[in-house]
Amino acid sequence: MLWNSLNQTVELGWDFYLPVILFVALIALAVPVWAAIGAAAITMLVMSGDLPLSAIGESLFTGIDAFALTAVPLFILTGDVLVRTGLSKKFLDVAEALTCWTRGGFGSATVLVCGMFAAISGSDAAGAAAVGRMTIARLVESGYPRPYACALVAAGACTGILIPPSIAYIIIGLVLGISASTLFLAALIPGIAILVSILVTNIIMNRLYTYETGGNMGLGEWLGNLGQSLKSGWYAFIVPGIIFYGIFSGRLTPTEAGATAVVVTILMGFLLGTLKLADFPAMLVSSAKVNGVILPIIAFSAPLAEALAIMGVPQGFVTAVTGLTDDPSILILLMICILIAAGCVMETTPNIVILAPILKPLADNIGMNEIQFCIMMITALGVGFITPPLGLNLFVVSGITGESILKIAARAIPFVLTMLIVVLLIAYLPAISTTLLPDIYK
């Protein structure tokens, strides 16, 4: 019904259908997403004849000609340096000391260290790989079934794009013309809410199935352990401290904060003797590979967005949807369903560049705050990291452990449900996203 309404509103023809079919076919053939987006965009522009083919080159350049995008490779590199210098292990030591008094202490520590890593790297997959290598074997030794241990790490790593600074918020800010610093501030409470939901879910599951025992520790012993871990690893928190203070105080842009974090992390690695010049080639290649996946998608999203705008698809989508119902609650639920479904089959970056320009006019039409819309969108897409068939985090932890993806996905269901509850709260309670913002953004 929605598709028929959209077709009647925009009068879609083969200049729309053929590029869509081409895009789906290329994705099914495992062609890189950026190539599929580029092929669809070029086909759409050529068939419609609204823009000359020569304009595509200019669109590709302007798509990535943004100072804010410089922050993306910097945060990716910071996360890589963090792992190679061993500073991420200090995060785990402190997290374990914080939670060792509880019966599910190490499981809770795993979730917390995922959040700590997210506050630096801004990447889900990097967090899943780094934390998974440190914790999954110990989780199994503590009594957790291996599939559940993998699911716990995969779910905790979802905070990579949800807790600022996040690459996803930089990208959606670029696509929609919103300050990344503003989005970081708005995402702080929702990101922590997701982290707490995963933490609470693990505690409940541990209570139900008694995966992990222990926690019989007095206050004095707990404070002693915590003090010792902070004494031996306090310097690891200099990096996230610089990022958070710099961005949220307004003294540094996200790009400047990322650059500062890279330099400080490298200097700390040299001072600690855990980083050598010989480590740099592998480190830079690893970060470049991740960055090389993201930037081409953003570049080719520009001509695609132009093609969709010329054809009137975003405006037609709004007219078609509001023609079916004008109830804001139902329309918000529809947007969430679209985002959850999209997150199940495609990565976050292409989902942002394709869906944000289409769904944003609908959010504006029902009076949703644009900042709240961005937070809702990224959080909903974040659920897709632990849902098949894509579930990037599932593949990462499966690759580390050799565990079946389906078994991990089955154990991740409780985390998916609690994350969805947080998504609904964000969507229907604007204060969660706007409380920390200046009045001008509310």
Side-chain angles (χ1 to χ4, degrees):
M1 184 182 297
L2 176 60
W3 185 263
N4 291 335
S5 180
L6 176 62
N7 193 36
Q8 293 172 4
T9 304
V10 188
E11 297 182 355
L12 300 175
W14 279 107
D15 54 348
F16 176 81
Y17 290 121
L18 186 59
V20 169
I21 293 171
L22 177 63
F23 174 77
V24 173
L26 291 175
I27 292 295
L29 293 172
V31 172
V33 176
W34 65 267
I37 292 176
I42 293 172
T43 304
M44 194 176 292
L45 288 171
V46 170
M47 291 188 67
S48 66
D50 293 314
L51 280 178
L53 196 59
S54 58
I56 294 178
E58 182 179 350
S59 295
L60 291 175
F61 177 78
T62 56
I64 57 174
D65 183 22
F67 179 69
L69 272 182
T70 312
V72 174
L74 291 173
F75 283 122
I76 293 172
L77 181 57
T78 301
D80 204 356
V81 177
L82 194 75
V83 173
R84 291 178 183 272
T85 55
L87 294 177
S88 55
K89 179 65 169 59
K90 298 298 181 182
F91 290 147
L92 180 59
D93 292 341
V94 173
E96 189 175 3
L98 278 171
T99 60
C100 61
W101 61 275
T102 64
R103 192 168 71 181
F106 192 67
S108 298
T110 299
V111 177
L112 286 180
V113 80
C114 284
M116 293 176 184
F117 197 88
I120 296 176
S121 70
S123 170
D124 281 43
V131 177
R133 290 191 179 96
M134 290 191 296
T135 61
I136 290 177
R138 284 190 58 188
L139 286 168
V140 174
E141 291 175 3
S142 300
Y144 292 94
R146 185 176 294 275
Y148 179 85
C150 293
L152 179 62
V153 172
C158 286
T159 56
I161 67 164
L162 305 178
I163 293 179
S166 162
I167 294 172
Y169 285 119
I170 295 174
I171 294 172
I172 196 171
L174 179 69
V175 171
L176 298 180
I178 301 173
S179 165
S181 297
T182 302
L183 292 175
F184 287 168
L185 187 61
L188 198 55
I189 293 177
I192 293 174
I194 287 288
L195 183 69
V196 171
S197 74
I198 297 169
L199 191 66
V200 171
T201 302
N202 177 64
I203 292 173
I204 293 173
M205 296 298 291
N206 194 67
R207 290 284 179 179
L208 291 175
Y209 298 102
T210 320
Y211 292 141
E212 186 177 357
T213 58
N216 298 320
M217 182 178 293
L219 179 61
E221 185 181 359
W222 175 68
L223 289 175
N225 286 342
L226 180 58
Q228 184 62 34
S229 64
L230 288 172
K231 183 179 178 181
S232 63
W234 62 269
Y235 51 84
F237 292 87
I238 293 176
V239 179
I242 289 173
I243 294 173
F244 272 79
Y245 175 75
I247 293 175
F248 295 132
S249 67
R251 295 179 182 275
L252 298 174
T253 65
T255 300
E256 292 167 344
T260 305
V262 169
V263 173
V264 171
T265 310
I266 290 174
L267 289 176
M268 290 175 66
F270 282 133
L271 291 174
L272 294 170
T274 55
L275 188 67
K276 300 179 178 63
L277 288 175
D279 296 325
F280 275 76
M283 208 162 49
L284 293 173
V285 168
S286 175
S287 299
K289 286 180 178 178
V290 177
N291 194 57
V293 171
I294 296 173
L295 289 186
I297 293 175
I298 299 173
F300 279 101
S301 70
L304 178 62
E306 289 181 1
L308 292 174
I310 290 172
M311 298 178 69
V313 172
Q315 299 80 1
F317 179 79
V318 173
T319 303
V321 171
T322 53
L324 299 175
T325 177
D326 57 358
D327 187 334
S329 298
I330 296 177
L331 293 175
I332 289 174
L333 192 60
L334 174 62
M335 284 193 288
I336 292 174
C337 290
I338 292 173
L339 292 169
I340 295 295
C344 289
V345 297
M346 199 158 54
E347 295 176 3
T348 302
T349 301
N351 276 326
I352 291 172
V353 299
I354 294 172
L355 293 178
I358 295 176
L359 296 180
K360 173 65 163 47
L362 179 59
D364 292 338
N365 191 70
I366 61 176
M368 176 181 275
N369 184 293
E370 65 176 6
I371 304 296
Q372 180 193 7
F373 166 75
C374 291
I375 304 302
M376 178 195 73
M377 179 172 187
I378 299 302
T379 308
L381 291 175
V383 179
F385 279 89
I386 51 172
T387 53
L390 180 63
L392 183 59
N393 288 2
L394 301 179
F395 282 90
V396 171
V397 294
S398 175
I400 294 173
T401 63
E403 193 62 56
S404 165
I405 290 176
L406 291 180
K407 288 183 179 179
I408 300 172
R411 293 302 186 102
I413 290 175
F415 301 108
V416 172
L417 295 177
T418 52
M419 289 174 70
L420 288 177
I421 291 173
V422 177
V423 172
L424 291 172
L425 291 174
I426 292 170
Y428 290 105
L429 298 176
I432 296 177
S433 305
T434 60
T435 296
L436 299 179
L437 296 178
D439 291 337
I440 190 174
Y441 294 107
K442 298 181 180 180

